[in-house]
């Protein structure tokens, strides 16, 4: 018998709070999982950024990637490690690199999801020095009046970059004058103009992590620390949550995003997914507060499962099964059931749940104790101190800490 170490790497940017909590809870778990005649143990390490030989090996079995959607050096290292060393990474780096919100909208419309009407419009300005730009625009670019979109869609409309970016340059417009002004000030970004879903009676952000999904009622008009609501709207029942779960798992597995979030609005009983290309979603206690412990546990469950089972990386996306369902004569609800079944198979949901019940049954207890201790509070404090002005640090540290304690009390 021998101890076999599975190495989990954390590829981090400015993250502070969640890695501290992840590392400390993993230590508290002290996992020793039987594997044949051997015992699996787990090591967690933060991935450094340094030059690498394309033929050198990779020590990690799994990497949780929070960086490579914008930091190219780490992305190329991860792609090399997947191709040459069998690394398993969350999320698929090629999908993250190539799939923006525009692609996500098109694909889910093709699958029949009620995505709001969306137009793509050319950039107002150009920054390229390419000498071919002027003759190309002169010959082929058609003049248009963005205000005339009001004949195609009702206000409000949202003007936003086609590739997203954390609420970057998103503007709500309520009139033709607003719409034209938003376009005039959009710079060199290619923009979407998307119909608003109004009036809606519920706004939910569904966070998917492997087969795990957490639904959180969301209020975009609140300050960042209050957008994730403490409780659901009274009108959101189990059937609604199950529909949102299926939508989330379908989107995530279609694009190879095991960690992604989906925002949906409900109007007249129908859920409209309208912002769901969020691979590498918010993981900070300063926005998630009472939902933060769930996220840390989801990180641990999925990464440990993938490392322990040596889950093979799905390097190709294989959309054919989804499109076969989309082409069928089934109703939207029946198609959603079929999409979710594909997702459950790809995520090995049954195997995952069995694994967690057998080997991670003590996670809730360890996490509950940890989130009442000084290391967890210091992690909250560190994150608050990195974002808030000095005179607000203690106030908001206490706010977020108390919301976590409310969660602990309710889960005792």
């Amino acid at each position: 018998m021998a101890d076999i170490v599975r190495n989990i790497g954390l590829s981090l940017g400015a993250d502070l709070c969640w890695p501290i909590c992840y590392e400390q809870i993993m230590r508290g778990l002290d996992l020793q999982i039987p594997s044949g005649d051997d015992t699996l143990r787990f090591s967690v390490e933060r991935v450094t950024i340094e030059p690498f030989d394309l033929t050198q090996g990779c020590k990690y079995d799994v990497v949780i990637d929070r960086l490579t959607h914008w930091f190219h050096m780490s992305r190329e290292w991860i792609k090399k490690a997947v191709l040459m060393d069998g690394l398993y990474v969350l999320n698929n780096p090629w999908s993250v690199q190539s799939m923006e919100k525009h692609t996500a909208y098109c694909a889910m419309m093709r699958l029949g999801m009620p995505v709001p009407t969306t137009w793509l419009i050319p950039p107002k300005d150009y920054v390229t020095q390419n000498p071919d730009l002027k003759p190309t625009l002169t010959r082929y670019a058609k003049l248009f009046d963005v205000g005339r979109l009001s004949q195609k869609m009702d206000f409000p409309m949202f003007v936003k970059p086609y590739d997203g970016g954390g609420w970057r340059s998103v503007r709500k417009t309520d009139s033709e004058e607003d719409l034209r002004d938003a376009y005039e000030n959009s710079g060199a970004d290619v923009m979407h103009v998307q119909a608003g879903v109004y009036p809606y009676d519920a706004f939910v952000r569904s966070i998917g992590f492997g087969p795990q999904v957490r639904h959180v009622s969301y209020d975009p008009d609140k300050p960042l620390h209050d957008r994730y609501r403490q409780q659901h709207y009274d009108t959101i029942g189990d059937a609604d949550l199950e529909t949102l779960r299926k939508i989330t798992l379908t989107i995530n597995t279609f694009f190879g995003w095991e960690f992604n979030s989906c925002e949906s609005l409900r109007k007249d009983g129908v859920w409209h997914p309208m912002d769901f290309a969020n691979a590498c979603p918010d993981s900070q206690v300063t926005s998630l507060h009472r939902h933060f412990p769930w996220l840390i546990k989801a990180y641990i469950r999925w990464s440990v499962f993938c490392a322990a089972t040596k889950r093979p990386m799905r390097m190709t996306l294989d959309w054919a099964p989804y499109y076969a369902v989309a082409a069928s004569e089934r109703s939207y609800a029946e198609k959603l059931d079929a999409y979710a079944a594909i997702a459950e198979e790809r995520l090995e949901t049954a195997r995952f749940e069995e694994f967690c019940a057998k080997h991670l049954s003590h996670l809730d207890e360890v996490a509950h104790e940890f989130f009442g201790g000084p290391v967890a509070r210091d992690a909250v404090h560190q994150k608050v101190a990195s974002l808030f002005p000095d005179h607000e640090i203690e106030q908001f540290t206490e706010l977020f800490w108390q919301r976590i304690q409310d969660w602990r009390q309710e889960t005792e």
Side-chain angles (χ1 to χ4, degrees):
M1 296 181 63
D3 280 356
I4 299 175
V5 177
R6 295 281 195 259
N7 293 293
I8 299 174
L10 309 182
S11 176
L12 306 173
D15 305 83
L16 284 172
C17 49
W18 83 259
I20 294 172
C21 299
Y22 180 99
E23 292 163 341
Q24 291 295 322
I25 293 174
M26 283 291 289
R27 291 190 186 101
L29 288 170
D30 189 26
L31 294 172
Q32 302 177 49
I33 297 178
S35 177
D37 292 333
D38 301 318
T39 300
L40 299 181
R41 302 186 68 92
F42 297 84
S43 173
V44 179
E45 180 179 290
R46 301 191 182 194
V47 179
T48 56
I49 301 166
E50 55 190 293
F52 62 91
D53 180 342
L54 271 61
T55 61
Q56 74 186 45
C58 173
K59 68 180 292 185
Y60 304 107
D61 298 284
V62 170
V63 165
I64 300 172
D65 174 27
R66 294 284 304 173
L67 180 60
T68 66
H69 58 291
W70 66 270
F71 196 78
H72 296 178
M73 178 72 182
S74 293
R75 182 172 69 201
E76 298 312 310
W77 172 78
I78 277 181
K79 286 156 65 177
K80 169 264 171 192
V82 171
L83 290 170
M84 300 182 70
D85 306 303
L87 172 67
Y88 193 94
V89 62
L90 322 176
N91 290 318
N92 182 304
W94 294 277
S95 179
V96 171
Q97 182 176 356
S98 62
M99 306 297 177
E100 67 300 292
K101 291 185 185 295
H102 180 75
T103 303
Y105 288 146
C106 294
M108 293 305 108
M109 287 177 174
R110 172 76 181 275
L111 296 193
M113 290 189 183
V115 177
T117 300
T118 305
W119 282 67
L120 186 74
I121 58 176
K124 173 62 181 177
D125 300 317
Y126 294 85
V127 295
T128 179
Q129 301 300 312
N130 189 327
D132 290 341
L133 176 64
K134 183 175 181 179
T136 299
L137 296 179
T138 301
R139 293 170 187 166
Y140 302 112
K142 294 181 66 174
L143 294 177
F144 70 98
D145 177 3
V146 71
R148 295 184 67 181
L149 286 178
S150 61
Q151 300 173 15
K152 308 288 185 181
M153 298 182 282
D154 294 329
F155 288 102
M157 300 179 197
F158 289 85
V159 180
K160 51 188 179 180
Y162 85 105
D163 56 348
W167 290 82
R168 170 176 62 93
S169 303
V170 176
R171 180 166 167 182
K172 177 175 177 281
T173 65
D174 295 301
S175 66
E176 287 190 30
E177 182 180 3
D178 283 351
L179 181 58
R180 290 194 178 95
D181 185 68
Y183 179 60
E184 289 296 320
N185 290 281
S186 61
D189 283 327
V190 176
M191 305 297 284
H192 276 147
V193 180
Q194 187 174 76
V197 180
Y198 280 86
Y200 65 84
D201 63 6
F203 188 156
V204 171
R205 193 168 206 200
S206 301
I207 307 167
F209 211 132
Q212 308 161 98
V213 182
R214 173 85 165 187
H215 308 289
V216 185
S217 292
Y218 196 74
D219 188 345
D221 296 324
K222 294 286 189 181
L224 182 60
H225 65 276
D226 276 333
R227 289 180 186 169
Y228 286 91
R229 291 163 55 99
Q230 300 288 308
Q231 304 293 340
H232 276 309
Y233 302 98
D234 294 337
T235 58
I236 299 178
D238 291 343
D240 285 310
L241 298 179
E242 178 63 10
T243 295
L244 292 170
R245 186 187 73 88
K246 292 173 184 176
I247 289 172
T248 302
L249 293 183
T250 299
I251 292 167
N252 291 4
T253 53
F254 187 93
F255 290 110
W257 298 333
E258 294 154 281
F259 183 29
N260 185 48
S261 66
C262 172
E263 295 178 7
S264 302
L265 298 168
R266 187 179 63 185
K267 178 182 178 182
D268 298 329
V270 176
W271 287 101
H272 299 265
M274 34 62 76
D275 190 333
F276 45 82
N278 301 304
C280 196
D282 190 351
S283 293
Q284 311 312 317
V285 69
T286 45
S287 49
L288 291 168
H289 43 85
R290 69 173 292 116
H291 309 289
F292 182 68
W294 176 89
L295 185 65
I296 301 304
K297 291 190 290 182
Y299 264 112
I300 289 172
R301 289 191 187 100
W302 187 243
S303 58
V304 168
F305 170 74
C306 293
T309 62
K310 295 293 285 186
R311 178 172 161 85
M313 184 78 191
R314 179 182 286 273
M315 289 181 277
T316 58
L317 299 179
D318 187 13
W319 293 337
Y322 298 93
Y323 283 136
V325 173
S328 71
E329 297 298 321
R330 283 173 271 198
S331 68
Y332 173 59
E334 292 169 335
K335 289 179 179 179
L336 198 56
D337 286 342
Y339 298 144
I342 297 169
E344 305 277 18
E345 180 181 3
R346 293 190 174 189
L347 293 169
E348 300 181 284
T349 300
R351 185 186 183 198
F352 167 76
E353 291 176 348
E354 180 182 1
F355 177 92
C356 291
K358 185 174 183 179
H359 301 298
L360 292 172
S361 60
H362 59 314
L363 173 58
D364 287 342
E365 179 182 352
V366 172
H368 189 275
E369 180 179 358
F370 168 78
F371 280 111
V375 176
R377 194 181 194 286
D378 183 62
V380 175
H381 183 272
Q382 287 188 47
K383 187 61 187 180
V384 172
S386 73
L387 296 177
F388 287 76
D390 289 347
H391 68 280
E392 292 182 348
I393 291 175
E394 293 307 320
Q395 170 193 346
F396 279 94
T397 296
E398 184 57 31
L399 173 69
F400 299 130
W401 180 246
Q402 189 54 54
R403 289 180 180 179
I404 291 174
Q405 301 318 299
D406 291 343
W407 163 81
R408 292 182 69 245
Q409 184 174 2
E410 292 176 11
T411 55
E412 284 181 343

